[in-house]
Amino acid sequence: MTYDNENLKVVGTRPVRPDGADKVTGRANFGADFSMPQQLIGKVLRSPHPHARIVSIDTSKAEALPGVKAVMVGEDMIAMAHEMSQSGESAIDVHDLSLNVLARGKVLYDGHAVAAVAATSAVIADDALDLIDVTYDVLPHVSDVDEAMKPDAPVLHEDMFTAGMDEKPATASNIASRMEMALGDVEEGFKKADIVIERSYKTKAVHQGYIEPHAVVANFAEDGTATVWCSSQGHFAIRDLCAKLLGMDSSAIRVTPAEIGGGFGGKTTVYLEPLAIALSKKAGRPVKMTMTRAEVFRATGPTPATSLDVKIGVTNDGQIVAAEADFRFNAGAFKGSPVGAACMSAFTPYTLENVKVVGYDVVTNACKSGAYRAPGAPNGAFAVESALDELAHMLNMDPLDFRHQNGAEAGTKAVYGATFREIGCKDVLVAAKNHPHYKSNLGPNQGRGVASGFWFNIGGQSNAAVNVHEDGTVTVVEGNPDIGGTRAAMAMMAAEVLGIPFEKVQVVVADTASIGHTDVTGGSRVTFATGMAVTQAAEDVVRQLKERAAATMELDPEEVVWQDGVAHPTKGEAKPLSLADIAGDAARTGGIIVGRSSINAKGAGPSFATHICDVEVDPETGRIEILRYTAVQDVGKAIHPSYVEGQMQGGAVQGIGWALNEEYVYNEDGILENPGFLDYRMPVASDLPMIDTVLVEVANPSHPFGVRGVGEAPLVPPLAAVVNAIQDATGIRMTELPVSPVKMLEALEANQKQAAE
Amino acid sequence: MRFEVADTLEGAASLLAGEQGVAHVLAGGTDLLVQLRAGMVKPDLVVDIKHIEATRTISESDGAYTIGAAVAGAEMGEHRTLASDWPGVTEGAELIGSTQVQGRASMGGNLCNASPAADSVPALIAAGATCTVVGPGGTRDVAVADIPTGPGSNSLGQGEFVATINLPKKAANSSDAYLRMIPRTEMDIAIVGAAANVTLGDDGTIMAAKIVLGAVAPTAIEVPEAGAALVGTKADDDALAAVAAACEAAAKPISDKRGSADYRKKVSGVLAKRAAKIAFDRASGNA
Ligand SMILES: Cc1cc2nc3c(=O)[nH]c(=O)nc-3n(C[C@H](O)[C@H](O)[C@H](O)COP(=O)(O)OP(=O)(O)OC[C@H]3O[C@@H](n4cnc5c(N)ncnc54)[C@H](O)[C@@H]3O)c2cc1C
């Protein structure tokens, strides 16, 4: 069933989210807020080397320390074969995951876990770590992706032979895989071009920067089951990965989700959870583990550093005739960067006859990269949208007109094989062009840039139950941790279907034993897929309500219509019955009413975004200020417009940070130099203007309310939007991120020197 | 670790002097608590000086100010006349951290923590400020410039601490300014800081000037050549260019993850000339 835009009563309004007040007053319970009686504190010993063989680990002194109840090393984990397990938007190799959780044989990056302890206090646990003697045989390391691809680079994994080659390579290398996708014939396409440019770009690894560090409490009980409390983007994924790594049954682990203080893709996998369960099993007591901020930076999953080449050919009238890219992604210590998504998405806002993209997934001695909001897409878009900006200048065309002329639309076939149905790519470009921001004037040293971006969005498995209570109120039970206000969105959709006020609906995010498997909060899927499940579960309730009312009215269910929360007879004299009337009588008419839905949602609608950014560059210090910023996006249907706007603003801000100051600084010794928020510079509130938003609503026909995902697309355009604005302000094309003041001033001076010569 | 709260200057001094191990004064704690949690300092004794009236008050007498060493930056900004008499000193202290940090962070802590990048120090030196040091041997006045001796070290003796920071009576037709370079707008460490203090003669030309740089040497440094370049001018472009050149030459920065030495040298010149211009405009009544 689809719901008509005109008649919506709740969807599209802006009620206050139910979890909001507790979160802003500090009362909400996040991962580290949970404690158990008798709990031990667990800590992890981490490698001080980027690459070394572990010769020996002596834990005897640590074990002898009073208060230490358990110590474990890599050999205490079970050996895993290579096997891909689905987690979030990407698949994880459980063999690699196990080695990342606790190293065996070699350490592969600064911060790699080598041992774990549980003790009666944090101080004793820290002392115990100091008493563990690890002998390392330090090996040569490599941190840069292009260096790691060279034949003489130190090899991380002796058993890694590049996948995706016509012939299996004879020697092991750091190139985990090569992939290629194409449409048409680029060679032929370039022959038709009047202008061809070829450019190279680089980005650094950047962290999601969620404010809440990873935290877990695990209690392994005498009956061999474990209970886990932690914050994550998907407690079912945590349960299943722990079960795999520890050789336990999924039914033997129950994970209760805490409130989550940000994830952005980074909390779709496990780090501490398997260790906490294993330590609890060993010690016979609950174990609590919390990462420090430095551990979060050193040993969780930032998005890869990348090295990107792009070649684009256009005709003089602005038609793109061929486009080619070569993307090299630094996966960190283990394979599995999102280079595939980069290849699939970078050119996708455009209708292209001839396009070819090659991607390499490369391992280096850096922490294993993880998912970060639209994984891979911002990197690819940075390269492509920078090159397109340059071409628009060369063609003397407005950059939005140039994009519009080549823009994707219904019927466009993307390089990854999809053919689009209704999409809002061009509507978004038009809305950007018409926005007052785009027409406003700029002062000296100021510039304006635009860029576009695409994200797939996904569906996936979701479960929902809707319990109708005797007093006519309703509880929705679902399985997705609420990150962006999804409790509110779920309640709104349920209220809309049931025809009752928003306030009558509560939403509970249930533990893994209390609702069916639900995929992670990721891929911008929750409001789409879980929203679809909730809608269907509410419709299941309506069906039952009509049945009960019909029985009371002595009619057939088809002779009853449901409107605004009331069952109306279409014939006869029976009095209409409200949801509360029917619920109050439910015990007598067949028992309490529960609606259910279990789906694998198909038909996720892609989202397109275009951003406009104004900057001012201080010509003497290289400091860059964001003056004005507008994010325009096709959001399908905004269930709760404020939270859609929030997603767009947040994505834009993260992208601005990525463009200007954020970077992992690995020094020559392969050590991370800035594992803290002082020197890992995310934007602070006072750095930014209000981020203006424009919601373009092109409904997704596959969703009852027209929802597309909205959470990831807004991180795709900002990197290029900022850099294109810098180009407009200074005439300088910056090709390496971040554009720190130091880098900007160097470029300004080099430019001046060149001009003088 | 022992924690004591002192309610008199003498009480604090005797607690500190009596400790054989490592003793630390606690003012706002915005450096000390961070260092404690990171395991960088392991004091045997911490003495909170915030309950001593003298360290918590700002008083003015005949145009001279006495500012308690533990007065928070936000309190300086809210003072009725301090901010207009000493805009540069006040903005240096008020730049520290963020709104939250401002409620605690003090100039005493900023000075004694002795970071080369301490934001309140350059303007204090440019102002010719002194501090009153209390210790087991009594009380002495020391130039602010003589407190920091290098990154993380200061010249205070065993049992000594700073009770107040003292600003002289402001000269007629004078003013000051402080600027710093950080990539963001707050919550950062200065890559370069520059303070200027200028005094004008009756004809509006600069009669005396001091330029002090932060974060480009082990301690904040005065650049006399830069001050001299301003004297006799109206902070015109040539004079400002000379200020910048003098500062670039005097800066002896290191390269680190926060900025290259080359960058710091150039930007020290840029900020110094800008601060000089602001101080000049303020002194001329044009700001
Ligand atoms: C988030 C954050 C942001 C920051 N941003 C900045 C910034 O922008 N600029 C900047 O310069 N600093 C910054 N800092 C550092 C710090 O806030 C300042 O140095 C502040 O002025 C310290 O003052 P306090 O009163 O908190 O000192 P405390 O932490 O109480 O003391 C600092 C040190 O000085 C000693 N000490 C304190 N008072 C005295 C005294 N009267 N006599 C002798 N010794 C004393 C203490 O024993 C300790 O060793 C920041 C810190 C944080 C946490």
Side-chain angles (χ1 to χ4, degrees), chain A residues 618 620-621 623 661 673 677-679 681-682 684 686-687 741-742 745 749, chain B residues 181-189 257-260 263 266 270 273-274:
Chain A
D618 184 329
E620 291 183 313
T621 65
R623 202 169 171 283
N661 285 306
E673 281 217 319
F677 282 134
L678 180 56
D679 286 303
R681 294 193 173 78
M682 303 192 75
V684 295
S686 54
D687 290 351
V742 176
L745 190 64
E749 288 182 336
Chain B
M181 171 63 208
I182 54 172
R184 294 182 292 189
T185 47
E186 59 177 23
M187 303 298 278
D188 224 323
I189 291 184
K257 63 195 165 196
R258 296 187 182 122
S260 64
Y263 181 83
K266 285 198 183 102
V270 173
K273 73 177 183 189
R274 289 181 184 178

Side-chain angles (χ1 to χ4, degrees), chain A residues 11 24 26 77 107 122 126 231 240 294 342 442 453 481 528 536 547-548 606:
Chain A
V11 165
V24 298
M77 300 282 288
V107 289
D126 273 328
S231 105
D240 293 344
L442 291 165
F528 170 72
Q536 291 182 5
E547 283 171 9
R548 302 284 178 100

Side-chain angles (χ1 to χ4, degrees), chain B residues 24-35 49 69 95-97 101 104-110 112-113 117-120 156 160-163 180 187-188:
Chain B
H24 267 280
V25 164
L26 175 73
T30 59
D31 278 316
L32 188 62
L33 296 190
V34 175
Q35 291 161 3
I49 58 164
L95 273 176
I96 294 172
V101 174
R104 284 281 179 182
S106 68
M107 290 204 296
N110 199 227
C112 297
N113 188 60
D119 277 311
S120 72
L156 297 172
E160 281 191 327
F161 71 101
V162 173
R180 69 165 176 186
M187 303 298 278
D188 224 323

Side-chain angles (χ1 to χ4, degrees), chain A residues 240-261:
Chain A
D240 293 344
L241 291 171
C242 286
K244 274 245 159 66
L245 296 188
L246 299 170
M248 293 173 70
D249 293 341
S250 280
S251 61
I253 302 177
R254 175 174 173 185
V255 184
T256 299
E259 291 299 336
I260 172 168

Side-chain angles (χ1 to χ4, degrees), chain A residues 20 227 339 369 623 642:
Chain A
T227 313
V339 64
S369 67
R623 202 169 171 283
S642 300

